[in-house]
Amino acid sequence: MSYIRKITNSDELSKKTGLPNNLKNKNKSLQGALKKYKNEELINQENTIWEKVVKDKYKNN
C-alpha cells in the first residue's frame, strides 16, 4: 500500500474536515529557535570555507 503524507496548517484542514478544537494549532513555528547560537564571525567565513578546506587538505600533494 502506498500513501501520501502532507503536513498542513490546521486552519486549512479544518475547512475540509471537522477538526476538533484540541487538535488545532498544535505546532509552533521554529523560526528563530536557534538564533542564540548564531556566530556572525563564522557566517562571514561561509563563502570561502570550502576553498580553504580543500587547500589545507591537499597542499602537500
Side-chain angles (χ1 to χ4, degrees):
M1 180 193 315
S2 62
Y3 61 92
I4 297 174
R5 173 183 264 175
K6 179 182 177 187
I7 298 173
T8 188
N9 185 316
S10 62
D11 293 335
E12 294 297 319
L13 188 59
S14 65
K15 292 177 186 175
K16 298 174 183 171
T17 64
L19 189 65
N21 286 336
N22 63 339
L23 293 178
K24 290 182 181 179
N25 300 319
K26 296 286 280 188
N27 295 332
K28 296 181 180 179
S29 172
L30 293 177
Q31 184 175 3
L34 301 176
K35 187 176 181 178
K36 63 183 177 183
Y37 300 106
K38 180 171 70 171
N39 185 332
E40 293 289 342
E41 185 176 318
L42 294 178
I43 292 173
N44 292 332
Q45 295 176 14
E46 285 181 356
N47 292 331
T48 58
I49 194 66
W50 179 252
E51 182 181 345
K52 290 177 183 178
V53 169
V54 171
K55 283 181 180 179
D56 287 347
K57 184 173 182 178
Y58 296 107
K59 67 182 176 186
N60 293 327
N61 292 337

